Amino acid sequence: MTSSDSTADLSYLDATEALRLFTTRELSPVELMRAVIERTEQVEPTLNAFAERLFDEAMAQAVQAERRYLGKDGEAPRALEGLPIAAKEKHAIAGRSLTEGSLVNAGVVAEENAPVIDRVLNAGGIVHARTTTPEFSIATFTQSRLWGVTRNPWNPYFSTAGSSGGSGAALAAGTAALATGSDIGGSTRLPAALNGVVGFKAPYGRVPGAGIMPNDHYRGDSPMARTVDDTILLQNVLAGPDPRDHTSIAPKYVLPTEFDDVAGMRIALCVNLGEYRVHPEMAANTRATAQALAAAGATVEEIELPWAQFDILIATAGHFGHMFSTLVEEFTAGKRDLVCVYTAAYLDVTAQARQNISYMDALRAEKRLQLQLAAAMTGFDALLCPTTAVPGWPADDALQGERLIVHGEDVGETFWAAMTMPFNINNRCPVLNVPSGRSEWGIPTGVQIVGHPYDDAAVFRVGKALEQLRPWAYHPASRPAL
């Protein structure tokens, strides 16, 4: 085995296994951090997943973590002690830049940590790098004038998706053990799907946020990992109330780490979520996951959702027109010459939506979609559906507002490539993305497991079963060929 192979083997170690090896002293946090840094040097020139590297500080923290495991500083190891964790750049770290991928914010320095950063650091996690996003996290690809293009580890021609694209790529490439994400329209689940990792959109209020953004009932911060167990590990650190976020839920909900199998569960399968045009590869991979659950004893029933594209569009356009985009407009006022092409287009479209769609119209459309989902899921424990309607899209910003062509077929506007937004509209529902297979292009595909409001355990029970029934572990034969 070459030194490069050895480094990759160590850098792909599951977080839960790394903690076990730290505890038994078979592995040092210093060794793992060194392997992750070496792996970064190998693959980052191709991927461009990191906005900032904190390697010197990380190595020093790894030494301190090693002392804890050796019992040399009088403190017991904490929940994430010594793990290399990549943080989405928008998750503020006091004293460090907070650009959100925009030239508009050049020179901005964070005054305090985001709640999720506090949680990670207080649990002994080591933020060794910060990950790229599209500007202001508003795109389904990860590219900006500030950082350039982030590419998919499985096939660099393709996008790593967005907005937590750097986090997804880092996990798939073995340059982080865990990563933070956030999700306002699919920004955790889309990169998880196209990179072949796990991403959890927690129910609204489960993970605390910062500033005024928690009042946006579409969004929330998220854990990302390569395995379901690792996702649970990070989610159990991130969850819980924070006094800075009035919407954060008390008491803290702790996910179990052991689950029954899926025998006896009732799972609804919906491939098209109403009117999405789902590519045959995506439908086939989604049905394969459903068949695996049925073979394991679950009752899987295919259903139709009466969701209309019109309602999804009205709810989304009204919401973003009246909420999130107005914040971006404040940031960019008088500086439109500095923003990306897709940001300017987004601001123009949402400003028009604000003129044409009242906030009450948007809320009424949301309510229709919510009632329809509740009715469709009655009698079922969870819903299974694709995460994306297509197997991938190119790694650049040329798609904004354009048609998307897959295998020579026009599959519609790029907005409809992501099948995630309906579950931000239904944001009290937990949603877990897990891998569902690979496309002909070699990049992964994903499925969403949707639970009833605040029934987090159900989606992890199904996700854990799928991980065992259709393994996607990152052993040497199933890693990106970087």
Side-chain angles (χ1 to χ4, degrees), residues 178-190:
L178 300 169
T180 67
S182 63
D183 198 313
I184 195 171
S187 287
T188 292
R189 289 160 288 154
L190 296 173

Side-chain angles (χ1 to χ4, degrees), residues 189 193 267-274 276 278 282-283 285-287 289-290 293 300 303 305 307 373 377 382-389 418-423 431-436 445-451 462 466:
R189 289 160 288 154
I267 298 171
L269 168 67
C270 189
V271 174
N272 63 6
L273 294 184
Y276 282 88
V278 178
M282 307 307 299
N285 287 357
T286 301
R287 293 186 188 282
T289 63
L293 293 170
V300 179
I303 67 168
L305 261 167
W307 277 346
L373 179 63
M377 289 186 66
L383 169 72
L384 186 73
C385 63
T387 306
T388 65
M419 298 177 69
T420 48
M421 184 64 76
F423 304 111
V431 188
L432 185 70
N433 173 89
V434 299
S436 64
T445 61
V447 290
Q448 298 178 95
I449 305 162
V450 183
V462 177
L466 283 173

Side-chain angles (χ1 to χ4, degrees), residues 89-115:
E89 196 264 359
K90 73 173 295 174
H91 291 147
I93 299 178
R96 295 203 171 274
S97 63
L98 184 59
T99 66
E100 297 202 51
S102 181
L103 294 171
V104 168
N105 287 337
V108 173
V109 175
E111 296 181 359
E112 64 175 356
N113 291 342

Side-chain angles (χ1 to χ4, degrees), residues 3-5 7-8 35 37-46 482:
S3 174
S4 177
D5 291 337
T7 293
I37 291 173
E38 289 177 5
R39 178 68 174 168
T40 300
E41 300 297 343
Q42 294 168 6
V43 303
E44 260 300 285
T46 298
L482 288 170

Side-chain angles (χ1 to χ4, degrees), residues 204-354:
Y204 181 58
R206 188 74 84 200
V207 177
I212 65 172
M213 289 310 298
N215 293 322
D216 183 339
H217 60 279
Y218 275 30
R219 77 165 303 280
D221 294 327
S222 315
M224 300 177 71
R226 284 186 292 270
T227 71
V228 173
D229 283 344
D230 287 359
T231 307
I232 292 170
L233 172 70
L234 184 52
Q235 173 63 14
N236 280 343
V237 167
L238 300 183
D242 185 292
R244 292 170 289 179
D245 180 357
H246 181 71
T247 71
S248 58
I249 298 170
K252 174 179 177 175
Y253 175 73
V254 178
L255 279 161
T257 56
E258 300 291 336
F259 299 90
D260 293 334
D261 61 31
V262 293
M265 292 189 80
R266 288 182 51 79
I267 298 171
L269 168 67
C270 189
V271 174
N272 63 6
L273 294 184
E275 298 180 338
Y276 282 88
R277 294 183 61 195
V278 178
H279 190 274
E281 282 187 296
M282 307 307 299
N285 287 357
T286 301
R287 293 186 188 282
T289 63
Q291 290 164 4
L293 293 170
T299 297
V300 179
E301 180 179 330
E302 187 156 2
I303 67 168
E304 293 293 334
L305 261 167
W307 277 346
Q309 283 189 343
F310 177 79
D311 274 346
I312 294 171
L313 189 60
I314 291 298
T316 303
H319 178 89
F320 284 94
H322 290 278
M323 293 191 69
F324 182 65
S325 68
T326 58
L327 182 63
V328 177
E329 285 181 348
E330 288 184 11
F331 286 144
T332 59
K335 300 179 180 180
R336 284 286 291 266
D337 60 313
L338 298 179
V339 305
C340 298
V341 171
Y342 60 83
T343 303
Y346 170 85
L347 290 172
D348 290 342
V349 168
T350 53
Q352 184 177 11
R354 189 160 55 249

Side-chain angles (χ1 to χ4, degrees), residues 14 226-227 467 470-479:
D14 294 347
R226 284 186 292 270
T227 71
E467 186 175 46
R470 308 181 78 239
W472 59 78
Y474 277 72
H475 54 73
S478 64
R479 295 177 190 150

Side-chain angles (χ1 to χ4, degrees), residues 133-134 139-143 159 161-163 342 393-400:
T133 66
T140 58
F141 47 83
T142 299
Q143 186 265 7
S159 175
S163 66
Y342 60 83
W393 43 90
D396 56 39
D397 66 345
L399 293 174
Q400 186 72 12

